Amino acid sequence: MSITAPPAPPVENAEWHRLSRRMLLIHPVTEIGRALPALAGLFIAGSSHGSPWPGLIGTAVVAALSISRWFTTRLRITPQQVQLRHGLLRRKTIATARDRIRTVDVTAHLLHRLLGLARVVVGTGSNDRRGGGRLVLDGLTLDAATRLRDDLLHRVVAEDSTIGHPAADEPSAAEDVVLARLDTRWIRYAPFTLSGVVTGLVIWGFYWRVAGEGGVDLAKVGPLRTVVQALRDMPTGQRITVVTLGLVIFVAVTSTIGYVLAFWNFRLLRHAGGTLQVTRGLITSRATSIERRRLVGATISEPLPLRAVGAARVVAVATGLRTGRGAERGGEVLLPPAPLPVSLALVQRVLDGSTAVTAPLLAHGPAARRRRLMRGVLPGALLSVVLAVVWALGGPAWLVVIGLGLMVIGLALGIDRAAALGHGRAGGYLITRGGSLVRRRSVLDEQAIIGWNLRSTFFQRRLGLASLEATTAAGRQGYHVTDVPAGEALAMVESISPDLLRPFRTAPPATSR
């Protein structure tokens, strides 16, 4: 029996209708995949008792519940809202006003692509961090998803008189501009992203769930038993060397595979309709569209391994983008790990030629450097004292070596953090820089700053320092200027946001004649 999809719904339709029938094939596969650790445990536990029924019944229940999603989901698109109704036992309706839409993310996993479908995620603002401000339409045809994305974003731009872009339905001589595309030579930076560590943790989590729910020790089954036994037969030093080398190779290979899967066919486009679009993905294709007016800056992110090889990634500072959420985080990446000069040039192009990203920064002075060094060395020094006492009471001498090593590492981190400190202003943008394990240079539009947090601890006050946090509705929602002289901090707030300080000023006392 063949399953055919209904005609693609128009972009605006005031009636409730279901998503594509092809989702009846996708939902069971995806839900069974998510429940695979528990189902594998049921099958293994059942096989140990000579019965496959626990696993089969569990699989049937998961498949039935997944199919019910299609029957209980309805979509309605009106000129004012996009509405989604779903739920079996608990009916829920989500309505998103069009003027609140910030981003539209079109994703097509392998099964979606085989069946000509796509998953559309409509982002509305900062609540997307918790998933509460998102509307997910899983099961539109690819053509309907593309038209919906263009209609939702370009219409908002066309209706906004503050944007100097033509309306989406008006002819324009301007063409889409490719700001960046993947260079295959950048794949050499993949092992330094260390994303393979996450893959290792996922595999370990799968193993832990199967072992816990199925009561089976996989280390005693099949090839794993042979590997474990071989390691046990090795001398300790050789075992540590083999395990370390294996982990390094595993992380390098899986990081490279992850880079290719995530960023193959990467392109960053500037549409004539006033949006930026990031497309990427080998097996799972993804297209994220961002209104240009929602993009208020960018961040050059340099994790220590990438910085060691002269590479960095570019992250958007925009309202409506989810940050720091694993796979979902890819929506904010404007450029995958690439050479640092390429990253700097891209930020300049994305910010309409602004040179703020390369502007010189102000140093924070010797007091800030001393504090960075002290914060780096002090934990290791305290631990060294404790370990020295343990050694004096009869403990092993290698504890003292560990304490001294931690002090040296802390000193190196303190020096690096002190060198990273800096801030500045250029062309209407605030520039901040800091960090060591992950150094970030952020460029933030000053008009997007909605508040300031000024903090000065007891030790900072003794050094005449303070830490500033520029709060905004975009990106990480807080951008820090750490250990800046207190006078400079107040002067910066005064010059950027004078209206925020006005209620806190006190009038000078009147003088009597």
Side-chain angles (χ1 to χ4, degrees):
M1 181 181 67
S2 62
I3 298 179
T4 59
V11 174
E12 290 185 4
N13 189 338
E15 296 182 358
W16 291 98
H17 57 82
R18 289 192 175 102
L19 300 174
S20 172
R21 291 190 181 92
R22 301 173 195 173
M23 293 303 297
L24 291 171
L25 296 176
I26 295 179
H27 282 320
V29 175
T30 56
E31 293 303 322
I32 290 175
R34 291 173 183 173
L36 188 58
L39 295 177
L42 289 176
F43 274 106
I44 294 174
S47 62
S48 64
H49 294 84
S51 174
W53 287 110
L56 294 176
I57 294 174
T59 303
V61 171
V62 172
L65 291 176
S66 65
I67 291 176
S68 69
R69 289 176 54 188
W70 182 81
F71 291 97
T72 58
T73 301
R74 299 288 191 278
L75 168 67
R76 181 166 68 178
I77 301 175
T78 71
Q80 293 79 30
Q81 291 183 335
V82 180
Q83 300 173 355
L84 182 69
R85 178 182 295 171
H86 63 90
L88 178 61
L89 300 178
R90 180 183 178 185
R91 179 72 67 180
K92 184 177 182 181
T93 301
I94 303 174
T96 299
R98 289 193 174 216
D99 59 359
R100 295 284 299 169
I101 294 174
R102 303 295 184 261
T103 62
V104 178
D105 193 346
V106 179
T107 305
H109 300 286
L110 179 59
L111 287 177
H112 287 81
R113 295 172 67 178
L114 291 176
L115 297 176
L117 300 178
R119 178 175 182 260
V120 178
V121 179
V122 180
T124 59
S126 59
N127 283 339
D128 291 353
R129 287 172 171 264
R130 298 181 296 273
R134 296 188 299 147
L135 189 147
V136 181
L137 310 176
D138 192 358
L140 292 176
T141 63
L142 186 58
D143 177 67
T146 302
R147 291 189 294 113
L148 178 62
R149 177 194 64 200
D150 294 340
D151 181 75
L152 293 179
L153 286 180
H154 292 172
R155 171 173 297 193
V156 173
V157 172
E159 292 177 352
D160 190 339
S161 60
T162 64
I163 303 298
H165 296 287
D169 56 352
E170 292 180 0
S172 173
E175 298 180 353
D176 295 345
V177 178
V178 179
L179 299 180
R181 67 173 69 248
L182 179 69
D183 188 333
T184 54
R185 292 174 295 180
W186 299 349
I187 298 177
R188 68 180 185 270
Y189 299 120
F192 300 95
T193 62
L194 301 184
S195 59
V197 176
V198 179
T199 304
L201 293 176
V202 171
I203 294 176
W204 174 257
F206 179 84
Y207 167 80
W208 181 80
R209 288 192 61 183
V210 170
E213 299 180 18
V216 178
D217 187 358
L218 296 181
K220 298 180 180 179
V221 178
L224 284 179
R225 179 175 57 185
T226 304
V227 173
V228 171
Q229 186 60 43
L231 289 175
R232 288 175 179 174
D233 295 339
M234 292 181 182
T236 302
Q238 184 179 356
R239 185 189 312 159
I240 294 175
T241 302
V242 170
V243 171
T244 302
L245 182 60
L247 290 175
V248 170
I249 295 175
F250 173 82
V251 170
V253 172
T254 53
S255 296
T256 302
I257 293 174
Y259 187 102
V260 173
L261 292 177
F263 297 113
W264 194 256
N265 294 325
F266 176 90
R267 286 195 310 166
L268 174 62
L269 300 176
R270 189 196 300 275
H271 284 306
T275 60
L276 296 174
Q277 179 177 311
V278 178
T279 59
R280 62 181 181 86
L282 180 59
I283 296 177
T284 298
S285 65
R286 184 176 184 182
T288 302
S289 298
I290 312 167
E291 284 187 81
R292 175 59 183 90
R293 64 171 182 169
R294 306 299 179 187
L295 184 73
V296 297
T299 296
I300 303 288
S301 178
E302 301 175 77
L304 186 58
L306 281 179
R307 181 153 52 97
V309 294
R313 62 166 59 92
V314 179
V315 177
V317 179
T319 56
L321 284 178
R322 301 178 296 283
T323 59
R325 290 190 55 187
E328 296 291 341
R329 188 180 185 277
E332 65 180 357
V333 176
L334 295 180
L335 189 70
L340 181 58
V342 176
S343 301
L344 295 172
L346 176 69
V347 173
Q348 185 171 340
R349 295 190 67 184
V350 167
L351 299 183
D352 303 323
S354 173
T355 58
V357 69
T358 57
L361 302 181
L362 299 175
H364 291 189
R369 287 195 295 270
R370 289 197 302 270
R371 188 165 190 269
R372 292 292 99 190
L373 291 174
M374 181 63 67
R375 287 172 63 89
V377 174
L378 187 60
L382 294 177
L383 182 60
S384 296
V385 171
V386 174
L387 295 179
V389 172
V390 174
W391 170 70
L393 295 176
W398 55 265
L399 292 176
V400 178
V401 177
I402 291 179
L404 294 176
L406 292 175
M407 284 185 61
V408 172
I409 294 175
L411 177 62
L413 289 176
I415 294 174
D416 193 48
R417 289 171 179 170
L421 289 179
H423 70 280
R425 298 177 61 198
Y429 288 92
L430 170 67
I431 308 108
T432 68
R433 187 181 67 186
S436 179
L437 297 178
V438 180
R439 178 175 294 182
R440 294 184 177 92
R441 182 183 182 117
S442 298
V443 182
L444 178 64
D445 190 340
E446 294 178 354
Q447 295 183 358
I449 298 175
I450 59 177
W452 296 88
N453 290 327
L454 190 148
R455 179 177 60 86
S456 183
T457 66
F458 172 77
F459 298 102
Q460 283 180 310
R461 290 195 297 272
R462 289 179 63 86
L463 296 173
L465 302 175
S467 292
L468 272 178
E469 180 184 14
T471 59
T472 177
R476 301 172 66 87
Q477 299 186 340
Y479 293 85
H480 298 269
V481 184
T482 305
D483 287 341
V484 67
E488 291 185 20
L490 292 175
M492 184 187 307
V493 176
E494 173 71 26
S495 59
I496 295 177
S497 308
D499 293 338
L500 293 179
L501 286 183
R502 188 171 293 116
F504 300 96
R505 295 195 187 99
T506 58
T511 57
S512 58
R513 294 185 177 180

